[in-house]
Amino acid sequence: MAILTPGAPVPVDAPDDSSPRRPARRGNAGRDGGRKIGSHVLLIILVIYFITPLWWLTVAATKDTAGLFSGSGGPLWFDGEFNLFNNIAGLFEHQGGIYWRWLGNSFFYALSGGVGATILAVLAGYGFAKYRFRGRNAFFSVLLGAVMVPMTALVIPTFVLLSNMGLVNTIWAVILPSLLSPFGVYLMRVYTQDAVPDELLDAARVDGAGELRTFFQVSLPLLRPAIVTVLLLSVVGTWNNFFLPLAVLSDPNLLPVTVGLNNWQALSNAGAGGEQVWNLIVTGAFVSVLPLIIAFLSLQKYWQGGLSLGALK
Amino acid sequence: MALTELAPPPAPAKPRPTRRPRRQIDRMDRKRQRWGWLFVAPFALVFVTFLVAPLAYAFWMSLQTSTLATGTSFTWFANYAKAFTDPIFLEGLGRVASFALIMIPAQMIVALVAALVLDNLSTALSKFSRLMIFVPYAIPVVIGALMWGFLYSPRFGPATDIFGLVGLAAPDFLSQGTIFASLVNIVTWQWAGYYMIIIYAALRGIDPAIYEAARLDGANGRQIALRVKVPMISSSMVMVLIFALIGTLQFFTEPQVLRAVAQGAIPVSYTPNMYAYSLAFSYSQFNYASAISFALGIVVFAGSYLFLFLTRKQSGLK
């Protein structure tokens, strides 16, 4: 979650070119082969470190509870029996299949919160970048300060506020606070300033386009890379959010998958007899992790340039 | 939060270029002003409702004390006085500070090393590695902590087998003495890849001609990395540091999740955030919890602001 909140005002001396891609470097290929072997070994060690938990999760999702404790292949290899499909079936049965409801909730919260936050950020960033209006600088400096307000410090006050509004334990309690993305606005403003030249807007106006039409037809297409980035960051932020739904939701039917699985784990650890569902927790975690990993792998070309926007601009 | 103090005095309208004083332009400008506000308004509404209002409300609440006997009364800064002398809160704050001292360098070193190595290579393996190192960022923090909880567990985890290979007994990763390192490991695993991408992008932005020049001057690979590359990406490093600092000071999810498997080692008040959470939701002490939240918010805000100020040269802020 931290990533959505912070945002240091960033370098002015950074290169103009926001694309990290560049033709391969000349000259140093093959010159110091020895060092390259060392680099590759180091890389492989790093990859093993970063990938082991995921490998464990994949393997563990194919085991039943007994296999998790004492599988024939040990914790890091497959057990004799393959139970992935049994486990998935178990997810449909345990507590009436509430797991799928949680997964659906997560999708719903992430999409509505993420898309909403992005729309607000694009509009506001554009407004800040391309219009001079009274109070603009004041508001923007307040916003810059807000980027550094830790979002978790807002959770308890937000809870009290929402409960006064009678919104606690409704979907709004998760969606509405997720719309707030000061960092997104900041990114959009910085990006818009460079990507949409004033001359272009003036030309559109001279041609008789209204402000809205100029925005939708001239500016929006130019802003696409930044929009994808902000969307990705806010969707991931909402999907991963834990503290907020933990505080504002108590109805099990409304929980996102993160809070739901955590509840199962807490119950299982408490040793409550019928609630020890280790295999379902593991399989549930595995299933819930897949969508984001697939999204990241397939949207590579967007986020690789995009996530660094904040760094380069 | 001291948000309002940040704002400069009400915007002095930008002096208009003197060469276009025509009335028509004036009218256009006024229309544009309205459009500017229209674009910003939806966000401003959310900003006020879910940031300014909760903060103001929290501050208001934190100035009051309610007890069963006397009801709610206005006690000014009593809650803050209580917080900053509350050994539990101070202990949590100190713990978070020591996490910051260990965890942030750990994340940054891993991220920097990975980025420098990747910047030197352009093979299929390096492309693949870049993705794999980044992948943990795609995993929700809760799930990451759950997974590590299993891996640390003596019942489920591989530690016994791995240490058994070399004839050692596995340490208990969830005991009082080791939980600190265990948490550092989870956070490093989760975030280093994201920071690596930011640093890597900055490295790619450097003009390779500079390396040629350094090489002609007789610099070797390591010297180029440490004396040319690192100084040139200092602004990105500062940004990563701020990200990590803000994240670390509000540490909550990982210890909260690990608590279920390591209750002995992680008390409910392990970090200030966890303390505030348990005060509010287990003991219904919303006033004191607000004061703790607010005090923590001020510490984080002041900390990151101070840091930005101290590094304004590196971060490019004049």
Side-chain angles (χ1 to χ4, degrees):
Chain A
M1 187 53 219
I3 283 321
L4 272 188
T5 49
V10 258
V12 288
D13 51 29
D16 223 23
D17 173 17
S18 74
S19 147
R21 270 151 228 256
R22 235 189 345 190
R25 262 182 213 136
R26 311 146 281 149
N28 60 353
R31 191 181 299 170
D32 35 15
R35 194 168 294 279
K36 300 251 145 137
I37 291 170
S39 302
H40 276 115
V41 170
L42 190 57
L43 262 193
I44 290 168
I45 294 173
L46 281 171
V47 169
I48 290 175
Y49 168 64
F50 282 98
I51 214 67
T52 301
L54 290 169
W55 172 251
W56 172 85
L57 185 69
T58 312
V59 166
T62 68
K63 298 176 180 175
D64 58 8
T65 301
L68 280 175
F69 281 104
S70 55
S72 53
L76 290 178
W77 197 249
F78 296 96
D79 195 14
E81 311 170 47
F82 188 81
N83 278 307
L84 177 62
F85 299 108
N86 285 344
N87 288 338
I88 292 179
L91 284 177
F92 277 103
E93 279 159 27
H94 192 60
Q95 296 181 356
I98 199 169
Y99 171 82
W100 301 100
R101 169 117 205 191
W102 290 340
L103 199 61
N105 290 342
S106 275
F107 268 105
F108 177 69
Y109 296 144
L111 280 183
S112 49
V115 170
T118 308
I119 293 174
L120 296 185
V122 172
L123 289 175
Y126 183 75
F128 277 124
K130 291 298 157 194
Y131 294 93
R132 316 199 160 277
F133 50 90
R134 210 177 291 274
R136 178 180 80 147
N137 292 334
F139 186 15
F140 196 73
S141 3
V142 172
L143 184 140
L144 266 191
V147 185
M148 271 178 272
V149 174
M151 285 298 147
T152 55
L154 284 173
V155 168
I156 288 169
T158 305
F159 168 82
V160 180
L161 208 74
L162 288 168
S163 90
N164 286 346
M165 292 155 77
L167 289 178
V168 161
N169 226 353
T170 65
I171 56 170
W172 301 111
V174 178
I175 295 176
L176 291 178
S178 307
L179 297 179
L180 178 74
S181 170
F183 185 53
V185 175
Y186 167 76
L187 271 188
M188 282 312 304
R189 182 200 170 145
V190 173
Y191 191 84
T192 309
Q193 237 146 17
D194 290 351
V196 184
D198 282 332
E199 293 76 14
L200 197 64
L201 295 185
D202 285 337
R205 285 172 187 141
V206 168
D207 285 347
E211 299 297 316
L212 274 184
R213 185 157 169 195
T214 312
F215 171 68
F216 280 111
Q217 296 193 340
V218 178
S219 311
L220 265 194
L222 294 172
L223 296 177
R224 202 174 298 139
I227 295 175
V228 175
T229 306
V230 172
L231 184 67
L232 204 72
L233 285 176
S234 18
V235 167
V236 172
T238 320
W239 179 278
N240 288 351
N241 202 346
F242 175 68
F243 198 178
L244 179 75
L246 182 70
V248 299
L249 297 177
S250 51
D251 180 352
N253 283 314
L254 294 179
L255 299 181
V257 70
T258 46
V259 180
L261 284 178
N262 181 54
N263 287 356
W264 277 3
Q265 191 234 16
L267 280 175
S268 294
N269 267 305
E275 302 292 351
Q276 292 212 13
V277 285
W278 301 112
N279 60 328
L280 297 189
I281 296 170
V282 170
T283 309
F286 176 70
V287 172
S288 79
V289 153
L290 287 182
L292 271 196
I293 292 191
I294 292 171
F296 268 108
L297 292 186
S298 53
L299 291 174
Q300 253 191 83
K301 65 173 181 187
Y302 296 104
W303 62 257
Q304 291 210 335
L307 285 189
S308 52
L309 267 186
L312 280 179
K313 283 280 161 180
Chain B
M1 175 110 306
L3 277 185
T4 40
E5 287 167 22
L6 259 182
K14 284 243 159 155
R16 245 173 241 118
T18 42
R19 56 205 147 79
R20 317 184 302 171
R22 281 167 298 161
R23 202 165 285 156
Q24 198 199 350
I25 302 270
D26 246 22
R27 208 178 317 129
M28 291 264 293
D29 261 19
R30 228 170 300 133
K31 206 179 117 207
R32 294 264 172 81
Q33 281 222 9
R34 229 184 30 233
W35 274 106
W37 266 113
L38 280 179
F39 273 111
V40 174
F43 174 77
L45 186 72
V46 172
F47 187 81
V48 169
T49 320
F50 291 103
L51 195 119
V52 179
L55 284 176
Y57 192 68
F59 185 58
W60 170 246
M61 281 213 317
S62 70
L63 298 180
Q64 299 171 331
T65 304
S66 60
T67 58
L68 277 178
T70 59
T72 303
S73 57
F74 201 78
T75 49
W76 292 102
F77 291 95
N79 281 325
Y80 291 93
K82 188 172 155 197
F84 282 105
T85 51
D86 182 345
I88 302 179
F89 174 64
L90 292 179
E91 200 185 312
L93 216 51
R95 196 171 282 126
V96 159
S98 39
F99 270 115
L101 282 181
I102 310 280
M103 205 141 75
I104 297 176
Q107 296 174 72
M108 291 191 59
I109 288 171
V110 174
L112 181 66
V113 167
L116 283 173
V117 170
L118 285 172
D119 186 52
N120 256 335
L121 302 172
S122 50
T123 55
L125 177 71
S126 72
K127 241 184 186 162
F128 170 79
S129 311
R130 200 168 71 219
L131 271 182
M132 290 306 112
I133 295 172
F134 174 76
V135 151
Y137 172 72
I139 312 249
V141 177
V142 175
I143 309 283
L146 278 178
M147 278 186 335
W148 279 104
F150 278 107
L151 285 169
Y152 289 150
S153 150
R155 288 189 290 167
F156 301 107
T160 319
D161 292 359
I162 292 173
F163 281 84
L165 284 181
V166 282
L168 289 172
D172 179 1
F173 295 107
L174 299 167
S175 71
Q176 211 139 18
T178 51
I179 197 74
F180 188 90
S182 301
L183 284 166
V184 169
N185 174 51
I186 299 182
V187 175
T188 307
W189 176 81
Q190 186 107 44
W191 292 103
Y194 177 74
Y195 300 146
M196 178 270 289
I197 291 281
I198 295 179
I199 298 174
Y200 176 78
L203 284 173
R204 291 268 116 182
I206 301 175
D207 181 358
I210 294 173
Y211 308 143
E212 295 297 329
R215 211 164 275 130
L216 284 179
D217 286 346
N220 62 28
R222 183 170 306 155
Q223 284 170 327
I224 291 181
L226 294 180
R227 306 234 177 112
V228 180
K229 291 185 180 180
V230 173
M232 289 196 71
I233 54 162
S234 58
S235 60
S236 292
M237 300 289 284
V238 167
M239 194 177 84
V240 166
L241 226 150
I242 291 274
F243 280 179
L245 186 68
I246 297 177
T248 306
L249 294 181
Q250 42 181 336
F251 208 23
F252 175 78
T253 308
E254 291 90 346
Q256 179 77 16
V257 173
L258 272 202
R259 229 180 82 71
V261 286
Q263 283 206 332
I266 304 182
V268 283
S269 55
Y270 195 66
T271 70
N273 254 326
M274 289 171 69
Y275 187 38
Y277 176 79
S278 77
L279 280 175
F281 295 101
S282 309
Y283 301 96
S284 292
Q285 293 196 29
F286 281 98
N287 298 98
Y288 190 41
S290 298
I292 297 272
S293 278
F294 212 84
L296 177 69
I298 291 170
V299 171
V300 176
F301 185 82
S304 7
Y305 220 82
L306 183 73
F307 183 79
L308 260 188
F309 179 76
L310 291 177
T311 57
R312 62 196 181 285
K313 217 167 128 201
Q314 285 80 16
S315 64
L317 296 167
K318 300 281 148 54

